[in-house]
Amino acid sequence: SPLAFIVAAVFMVIVGDLFALIAYHTRQANFGSWFSNMAVVLLLVIPALTMRLIAEERRSGTIELLMTSPIQDRDLVLGKFLAAALYLFFLLALTIVCPLILAMNTKLEWATLGSSYLGAFLLGCSFMAVGIFASSLTANVIVAAMTTFAISLVLWLLPSAGQMFGGTAADVMQYLSIMQHQENMGKGVLDSSDLVFYVSFITAWLFMAIRSVETYHWR
């Protein structure tokens, strides 16, 4: 829909402006700061992208058609997720023009850049998995967006909460923070534990979304 291109244009303006400001003030390709700021943009944008995925089906009544069609609930949820993930990939692919401009005048660490993009994509997919679950809980798209943002923000701030407890609790909350793993990948550190975390995180939230959709059959 035209809205998809409007969102893409706004996303590019914000991310491009952040890139220009960081490059101007640091006088170097500071991708760590750029991707950290991009993560904030994703935190704000993705709830708006996922809020209608299932909630709109319930609001408009088309969920009944989906529930009686010859597809499994798993296929419904995974189809919604893959469509959203493909659009996220499209958004991130647009931003590659920023480092390519720098590559004309300076030497870039392409391995670090690739790891950073992978981290941003997995972080965005994690937000989307939460968003699909939130969208499956309600027919109100605004409630779905606010729930997605609230859960994502709590998961983002877990390390800060962990510092209040210290010890093992702090280590656990540090590991459960979705931002911590993205920051590691933003430094060019491609650790299997970060990949396992994101895959497990996304799988868990999609599993809960599937179970939530299954409850529609009981109503």
Side-chain angles (χ1 to χ4, degrees):
S1 69
L3 181 61
F5 295 97
I6 295 174
V7 171
V10 173
F11 181 80
M12 274 300 297
V13 168
I14 296 174
V15 172
D17 185 54
L18 289 172
F19 183 84
L21 289 174
I22 293 172
Y24 176 78
H25 288 289
T26 61
R27 302 294 180 180
Q28 60 182 346
N30 192 342
F31 291 117
S33 297
W34 186 45
F35 280 99
S36 294
N37 284 277
M38 189 188 298
V40 177
V41 179
L42 291 176
L43 175 66
L44 299 174
V45 169
I46 287 181
L49 295 179
T50 59
M51 64 182 182
R52 297 180 59 190
L53 290 180
I54 299 179
E56 182 66 17
E57 304 282 4
R58 293 184 60 186
R59 189 196 65 79
S60 63
T62 53
I63 191 67
E64 296 178 3
L65 177 62
L66 291 174
M67 292 294 98
T68 55
S69 60
I71 61 172
Q72 298 182 5
D73 299 329
R74 175 194 61 195
D75 300 331
L76 170 62
V77 172
L78 292 181
K80 297 280 190 180
F81 173 75
L82 291 176
L86 183 61
Y87 182 70
L88 173 63
F89 181 84
F90 167 71
L91 289 181
L92 294 177
L94 291 177
T95 65
I96 195 67
V97 66
C98 295
L100 287 179
I101 292 175
L102 275 185
M104 297 178 182
N105 300 308
T106 185
K107 184 178 180 180
L108 301 182
E109 296 182 3
W110 292 105
T112 301
L113 182 62
S115 176
S116 299
Y117 266 110
L118 178 59
F121 179 72
L122 291 175
L123 176 67
C125 286
S126 299
F127 288 149
M128 285 182 168
V130 174
I132 291 178
F133 171 72
S135 184
S136 70
L137 297 176
T138 177
N140 189 311
V141 295
I142 303 300
V143 172
M146 294 178 62
T147 302
T148 302
F149 177 76
I151 296 175
S152 300
L153 185 61
V154 168
L155 293 170
W156 185 310
L157 299 176
L158 276 180
S160 299
Q163 294 176 2
M164 299 171 57
F165 300 97
T168 304
D171 295 336
V172 171
M173 291 185 180
Q174 185 79 13
Y175 179 77
L176 292 177
S177 170
I178 53 180
M179 269 306 298
Q180 178 62 37
H181 300 276
Q182 188 271 339
E183 291 176 357
N184 293 338
M185 300 178 76
K187 298 174 183 176
V189 180
L190 195 58
D191 196 320
S192 59
S193 64
D194 296 324
L195 298 177
V196 169
F197 170 83
Y198 278 124
V199 172
S200 302
F201 184 92
I202 294 170
T203 302
W205 284 96
L206 290 180
F207 176 79
M208 289 189 291
I210 293 171
R211 292 294 175 263
S212 176
V213 170
E214 287 179 352
T215 62
Y216 297 164
H217 296 289
W218 309 340
R219 300 173 184 176

